[in-house]
Each structure stands twice: as structure tokens, then as C-alpha cells.
Amino acid sequence: MMTNFKLGIFGSGQLGRMIVQAAADYGIACHVFAPDAQNSPAGQICNTLTQAEYTDQDALYKFYDSVNAVTSEFENIPVSSLQAAPASLLVSPGIKALATAQNRLNEKQTAKKLGIPTAPYWKITSSAELSSALEILNAKAILKTAKLGYDGKGQIRTRSGENADHLWKEINTELAILESFVDFKKEVSFLIARNAKGEISLFPPTLNHHENGILDHSTAPAILPHHVIEAGNNYARLIAEHLELVGLIAIELFLTDDNQLIFNEIAPRPHNSFHWTIEGCKTSQFHQLVRSVCNLPLGSVSTKGKWHMKNILGQSVDELVSNYNNAGKYIHNYGKNEPKTDRKMGHITWSE
Ligand code: AMP
């Protein structure tokens, strides 16, 4: 049925690589498009490669002409690059999902509109605005760039009374968000897949532990009160439908002591905290993404036991090798050459 089907992927990192691996399981070939595609994690194993800027109209035209559906492994590809696709082509995650996820203010406004609790926040475009927001806030806060922040980058932890001029210089952006600091007991992520027919699939939620703003490890399925899981699933449904999602959206939330979920951010793509689904769910997040964009039926996400996922960063890359001797550990090496500090080199999963 899927003979000659080709899936286009924007981006060439580890998420793209794992999409290529899942697509191959269904006999689907992948065409990767990225500015740094050569020898990249996805570029090493895809069937076709285009190395070009995301704004290269000629390359985009040829790319779209060569694929049956397209998805993006990261949210910062220009919206105009997706808009350049012919109307007949299925484009994931969709324009609305992509545009919303590119800007933290849009994300928070969307959550608010849908009735999903957020921490108090302020839009900041100047040192003067920052100064008055810090005064009203009167507590701990985080100042974040509205765009292009990831893995704790583009963020400054602060508190009321701090010098707004210094902070504004340090964050060095035109548009930022000041968020009140949430005193959470846990960080939780939810993941939903949705296809073009509007069918959805909800993965079991995951508990996450960050170190220096970077995900360190996850455990799943998260053991949480029933009403918390219901609320998270409901938020995921609301967001996916509102954004007319085709593909995946992960929602990161904080869980407070009184079991309230507070929205943090969304990612309209496979998410690091759900890598455990490769071994832990009947259908992994990557397989479900491929199914949802390639018109295949959505698969079961049932799971057995408790799963752990540990990220391996450049500074601890030896752990990938040392775990080969460890029965029961599943090793994923992303094929990156240079083990730089804080660079995600691979991950390991295991169950109990
Ligand atoms: P983010 O890039 O927004 O996901 O932030 C990275 C990490 O910083 C989160 O996973 C949290 O551990 C922490 N963080 C971000 N925003 C807040 C907040 N408003 N209150 C407390 N911790 C936060």
C-alpha cells in the first residue's frame, strides 16, 4: 500500500534520525532537508538529502515535489517555508501549531485562552517594562527570550528588586517574557498524536527531571492522581484541536504541591521525554508520528512496567559505551561526531 511513499523531514538532528528509523519500519523512505544535513544524525541514514537553507525557494520547490507528506523535527523552521508547500501536500505539524510554538508569548496566550492555568507572566519589550513587571511580581521569576530558546538557553533566573537595565542587557533580545517562578514538586509532560481526520492518540504521561535547564532523565508512565491525568489529557486534546495539529504535540507542565497542573510550554514534534516509548509502548512516538502524517491507522500506545530514559550529554558520552555490557539497557547513539558539553549525544532506556 505504501509503495514509493516518501516522507519529507525538515531538520537533521536526532529527532529526525528516529523518525527516519520508524518510517523505515513501515517501508517508507525519507527525504531530509536541512542547512547542515551532510553527515548529521538524520542525514547519515535517510534515503535522500537536500542541504539548503530553509528559505531557499528553489530547493523547497524540488523538495515538496519529491515527497508525499512533510513533517518538521523542530519548531524553528520559518513558517513561510511550510507555507510554500503545495495545498495538496499534507504538512505536519501545520502552520498554526508551528507559528504558536515559535513564540513563548503565543504559547502562553493560547493556553490561557483554552482555560489552561499558566504562571503569571508579562510581555517585555524594554528595560522599563521589565522594571515595572519585576515590581508588581515581588517574587522569584524567570526572564526568557520569547523566541529561539531551548534547553535552558535564553533564560535568566531573577527576583524582584534586581536591576532591570542589567537584566535587559544580559538577555539581549527585543521580545521577552517574564514568568513568575513556579514552586513545583514535579515536571510532567503529556504527548498527543492527531491525524488529518482528527483522530487522536494520547500517550501515558512522563515525569521529568532537569539539570541546568536540560532534561536529564524521565520516568514513565507517571503515577499521578486520576484527575491530574484527566486534566493533562484534556489540555492536550484542547491544544491539538485548537492548533489543528497533524502529527505530535508535547505539553510540558509543572505539578504543584496541591496537584495543580501549570502550563509551561509546547513542542509540536517528537519530544525527548517520550524517547522511552521506542521500547516501552507498542507504538512509539516516532511510529505514531509517521502513522499520523502518512495516512496509516494510529497504533496502540499500551505499555507494560515502569520505564526510564537517561540522556547522555557530551560530557558523559562514555556512558553510551560502558552500557553495552549492561543487559536490559537499550542504547541509542545519535551518531554525532563531536561530544561537546551539554550536547545530546544519545540516550539509554531500561524498564523495571
Ligand atoms: P523551558 O525552556 O521553559 O522548558 O525551561 C527549562 C526548565 O527551566 C524547565 O523545565 C523548568 O525546570 C525550569 N523552568 C522554566 N520556567 C519555569 C518557571 N516559570 N518556574 C519554575 N521553573 C521553571
Side-chain angles (χ1 to χ4, degrees):
M1 187 182 78
M2 298 303 288
T3 323
N4 294 329
F5 194 98
K6 195 168 253 186
L7 175 62
I9 303 170
F10 284 114
S12 58
Q14 63 268 17
L15 301 178
R17 181 184 181 94
M18 291 183 270
I19 300 170
V20 173
Q21 289 169 331
D25 285 340
Y26 299 142
I28 295 170
C30 289
H31 183 161
V32 166
F33 185 121
D36 53 355
Q38 292 288 347
N39 205 28
S40 60
Q44 288 162 11
I45 64 163
C46 66
N47 307 74
T48 318
L49 196 71
T50 296
Q51 177 149 327
E53 294 301 320
Y54 293 121
T55 47
D56 182 333
Q57 294 303 312
D58 195 37
L60 281 173
Y61 177 81
K62 287 182 189 142
F63 174 65
Y64 283 133
D65 199 40
S66 78
V67 297
N68 303 94
V70 72
T71 191
S72 183
E73 66 134 28
F74 82 129
E75 56 269 40
N76 288 318
I77 158 174
V79 171
S80 59
S81 307
L82 278 201
Q83 281 166 332
S88 56
L89 200 71
L90 186 76
V91 173
S92 157
I95 304 292
K96 211 169 163 187
L98 194 75
T100 303
Q102 285 181 353
N103 184 321
R104 289 184 187 278
L105 282 155
N106 289 349
E107 286 181 347
K108 290 270 198 303
Q109 275 154 11
T110 301
K112 230 176 155 175
K113 193 157 115 188
L114 295 172
I116 304 171
T118 67
Y121 66 88
W122 290 262
K123 176 182 173 184
I124 309 289
T125 62
S126 68
S127 153
E129 280 177 7
L130 179 57
S131 176
S132 49
L134 281 170
E135 233 167 78
I136 303 166
L137 174 76
N138 195 26
K140 284 199 288 184
I142 304 195
L143 180 65
K144 301 178 179 177
T145 55
K147 295 178 185 172
L148 295 173
Y150 70 99
D151 283 348
K153 293 190 176 70
Q155 295 190 9
I156 307 171
R157 292 186 181 211
T158 183
R159 51 176 61 248
S160 53
E162 285 215 19
N163 186 308
D165 281 340
H166 288 171
L167 284 170
W168 189 240
K169 274 199 191 103
E170 196 183 335
I171 196 88
N172 191 22
T173 184
E174 280 165 13
L175 183 63
I177 178 170
L178 183 75
E179 290 178 22
S180 161
F181 193 88
V182 180
D183 201 10
F184 58 82
K185 65 172 174 183
K186 284 176 179 147
E187 290 190 73
V188 194
S189 47
F190 285 75
L191 180 69
I192 186 165
R194 184 173 182 269
N195 66 16
K197 288 187 229 157
E199 293 164 343
I200 61 153
S201 158
L202 285 153
F203 284 83
T206 300
L207 288 183
N208 301 312
H209 179 79
H210 290 78
E211 296 277 354
N212 305 319
I214 305 176
L215 182 65
D216 180 71
H217 62 266
S218 297
T219 52
I223 308 294
L224 297 168
H226 184 68
H227 76 270
V228 174
I229 296 185
E230 277 298 295
N233 284 342
N234 189 35
Y235 297 161
R237 258 188 232 111
L238 284 171
I239 290 172
E241 268 152 35
H242 177 75
L243 297 181
E244 294 155 23
L245 170 75
V246 179
L248 297 172
I249 272 198
I251 299 140
E252 294 180 37
L253 301 128
F254 303 120
L255 186 69
T256 59
D257 275 332
D258 57 354
N259 283 327
Q260 258 248 343
L261 285 173
I262 311 275
F263 175 94
N264 179 26
E265 62 177 355
I266 54 170
R269 53 168 168 77
H271 195 263
N272 195 169
S273 65
F274 287 90
H275 289 355
W276 66 271
T277 62
I278 296 177
E279 287 85 23
C281 278
K282 278 196 177 150
T283 308
S284 77
Q285 61 167 341
F286 300 100
H287 286 105
Q288 201 74 305
L289 172 63
V290 172
R291 283 167 176 257
S292 57
V293 300
C294 299
N295 290 322
L296 294 169
L298 295 180
S300 157
V301 294
S302 70
T303 180
K304 266 195 193 149
K306 186 174 180 187
W307 286 88
H308 301 264
M309 188 283 316
K310 168 117 181 70
N311 269 338
I312 306 294
L313 305 181
Q315 57 271 37
S316 50
V317 71
D318 293 346
E319 275 186 54
L320 279 179
V321 178
S322 60
N323 271 293
Y324 279 107
N325 284 329
N326 210 329
K329 297 255 169 123
Y330 298 92
I331 295 167
H332 297 261
N333 186 330
Y334 305 149
K336 296 181 185 177
N337 293 330
E338 257 186 282
K340 289 186 196 155
T341 302
D342 288 349
R343 189 175 196 203
K344 291 176 182 167
M345 302 300 289
H347 74 266
I348 298 172
T349 61
W350 65 98
S351 68
E352 54 176 91

